[in-house]
């Protein structure tokens, strides 16, 4: 067990990033195809092919999901993921071609690095080419390369977010995994203790985003300048409607760890995919999906590294206590 989404049979993950420009993308591959659903709960999303995942629509399976930085520009990375899948002969057979189905979601990371450098087709191709079923790096990699946390006091006081992953395995063989790029307007907390792990960092303290809002503080952010995007996967047989329900339930993982979540400044999105093999109640899968997403978010913050003056959780003084 790697304690990552790649523990789920049929799932591969590849990352590519530009560490100087602080942006990147993550390709999650399902080369045998996987039933998928999506839940978009933030009010400033940047997505591709999400309508296709509506249970009333035709296509049943996806072949990859692309998570990317670069704001809406980063949606181009999914084209590179499509290219490598087409080269492998993977996709929806439409007679004259096999069309890889690759939904995507993006986050905003243009402020911290070089806003003129964004994930593109080439970067998406390289991320997909690097995809593995083995353990992969988290933190400042892939879609989490330029991710930040806690912008309620303005972008100058944010902390470092990143890419995280986790998994849960049951004795009956059911495995549920999550991967997430954590870039919210709000702060990230340990759900078990309510301790703020990353948030607005000012004057040597982590401020409480909710307290800032209670003080009628109006954050100096533009719409869409944040977003947490992720995928949950399970080796179970689900319909598109059931996968959609799992994606909805997995949003509880956001709500337990991100304060506030689903704001007008965020485009919070979760995809849920089922690679097949076992039967399990949707409520069980959904509840565990929320739990594993919670763990993946914490992993993203805990594994992130400080960069370009943006401090990460691991570099805070041990005696630092949030201003509450």
């Amino acid at each position: 067990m790697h304690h990552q989404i790649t523990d789920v049979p049929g799932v591969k993950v590849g990352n590519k990033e530009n560490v100087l420009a602080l942006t990147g993308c993550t390709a999650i591959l399902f080369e045998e195809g996987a039933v998928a659903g999506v839940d978009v709960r933030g009010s400033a999303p940047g997505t591709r092919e999400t309508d296709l995942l509506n249970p009333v629509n035709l296509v049943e399976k996806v072949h990859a999901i692309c998570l990317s930085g670069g704001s809406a520009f980063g949606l181009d990375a999914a084209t590179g993921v499509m290219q490598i899948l087409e080269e492998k002969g993977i996709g929806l057979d439409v007679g004259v071609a096999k069309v890889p189905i690759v939904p995507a979601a993006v986050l905003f990371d243009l402020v911290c690095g070089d806003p003129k450098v964004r994930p593109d087709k080439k970067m998406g191709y390289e991320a997909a080419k690097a995809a593995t079923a083995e353990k992969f790096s988290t933190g400042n990699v892939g879609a989490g390369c330029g991710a930040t946390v806690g912008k309620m006091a303005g972008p100058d006081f944010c902390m470092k977010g990143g890419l995280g992953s986790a998994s849960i395995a049951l004795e009956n063989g059911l495995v549920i995994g999550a991967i997430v790029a954590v870039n919210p307007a709000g702060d990230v907390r340990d759900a078990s203790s309510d301790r703020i792990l990353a948030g607005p960092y000012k004057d040597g303290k982590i401020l409480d985003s909710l307290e800032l809002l209670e003080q009628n503080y109006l954050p100096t952010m533009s719409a869409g300048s944040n977003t947490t995007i992720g995928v949950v996967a399970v080796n179970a047989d689900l319909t598109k409607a059931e996968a959609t329900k799992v994606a909805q339930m997995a949003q509880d993982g956001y709500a337990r760890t991100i304060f506030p979540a689903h704001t007008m400044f965020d485009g919070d999105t979760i995809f849920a995919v089922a690679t097949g093999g076992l039967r399990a109640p949707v409520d069980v899968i959904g509840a565990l999906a929320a739990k594993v997403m919670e763990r993946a978010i914490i992993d993203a913050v805990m594994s992130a590294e400080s960069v370009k003056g943006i401090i990460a959780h691991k570099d805070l003084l041990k005696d630092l206590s949030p201003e509450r």
Side-chain angles (χ1 to χ4, degrees), residues 16 20 43 54 85 120 217 225 262-263 271 300:
K16 186 64 179 180
L20 296 179
S43 294
N54 188 312
L85 290 172
D120 55 11
Y217 188 86
S225 57
H262 312 135
T263 74
F271 298 94

Side-chain angles (χ1 to χ4, degrees), residues 7-320:
D7 290 330
V8 179
V11 178
K12 293 182 179 180
V13 171
N15 292 301
K16 186 64 179 180
E17 58 281 326
N18 184 322
V19 295
L20 296 179
L22 282 183
T23 194
C25 65
T26 298
I28 305 100
L29 305 189
F30 320 101
E31 294 176 333
E32 300 300 319
V35 174
V38 67
D39 187 73
V40 181
R41 203 157 294 190
S43 294
T47 56
R48 160 177 163 155
E49 297 274 42
T50 51
D51 280 354
L52 174 147
L53 302 181
N54 188 312
V56 304
N57 291 334
L58 175 66
V59 175
E60 286 293 322
K61 293 186 176 182
V62 303
H63 305 98
I65 291 173
C66 184
L67 306 179
S68 180
S71 189
F73 297 108
L75 290 171
D76 189 38
T79 305
V81 180
M82 286 187 69
Q83 180 182 343
I84 200 165
L85 290 172
E86 184 183 25
E87 291 174 359
K88 293 181 177 182
I90 296 170
L92 175 67
D93 193 342
V94 295
V96 295
K98 288 188 176 180
V99 181
I101 306 300
V102 184
V106 295
L107 56 79
F108 185 94
D109 57 5
L110 303 181
V111 172
C112 301
D114 185 343
K116 297 297 184 181
V117 178
R118 308 107 177 198
D120 55 11
K121 179 180 177 180
K122 180 181 179 182
M123 184 179 282
Y125 184 93
E126 292 175 345
K129 186 177 181 179
T132 176
E134 301 301 318
K135 189 174 180 65
F136 55 91
S137 298
T138 57
N140 298 20
V141 299
C145 182
T148 53
V149 173
K151 285 148 275 189
M152 287 294 178
D156 293 339
F157 303 102
C158 64
M159 287 181 61
K160 190 69 183 72
L163 186 77
S165 191
S167 68
I168 296 173
L170 305 186
E171 291 183 358
N172 65 356
L174 190 74
V175 183
I176 302 169
I179 187 169
V180 62
V182 181
N183 185 62
D187 51 53
V188 172
R189 307 186 187 200
D190 182 336
S192 63
S193 65
D194 199 37
R195 182 168 66 100
I196 302 176
L197 303 176
Y201 184 70
K202 190 174 182 180
D203 299 327
K205 294 182 178 180
I206 306 177
L207 306 181
D208 186 323
S209 294
L210 295 183
E211 287 189 359
L212 290 176
L213 292 176
E214 289 170 3
Q215 296 163 8
N216 296 317
Y217 188 86
L218 296 177
T220 56
M221 290 181 289
S222 59
S225 57
N226 305 283
T227 292
T228 299
I229 49 178
V231 179
V232 292
V234 61
N235 60 332
D237 297 317
L238 296 178
T239 65
K240 285 174 70 176
E242 290 171 333
T244 301
K245 185 61 182 178
V246 170
Q248 291 176 349
M249 295 178 71
Q251 290 275 8
D252 288 352
Y254 284 11
R256 292 173 191 162
T257 53
I258 299 170
F259 292 79
H262 312 135
T263 74
M264 295 298 292
F265 302 101
D266 293 276
D268 297 339
T269 300
I270 294 181
F271 298 94
V273 297
T275 59
L278 300 174
R279 285 298 303 172
V282 173
D283 286 341
V284 172
I285 296 172
L288 293 177
K291 184 176 182 179
V292 76
M293 179 57 75
E294 176 187 321
R295 293 179 179 177
I297 291 170
I298 300 304
D299 177 59
V301 170
M302 300 291 279
S303 58
E305 303 279 349
S306 299
V307 64
K308 291 190 176 181
I310 305 171
I311 194 166
H313 172 84
K314 64 172 56 178
D315 291 326
L316 295 178
L317 295 176
K318 291 184 178 179
D319 62 351
L320 178 66

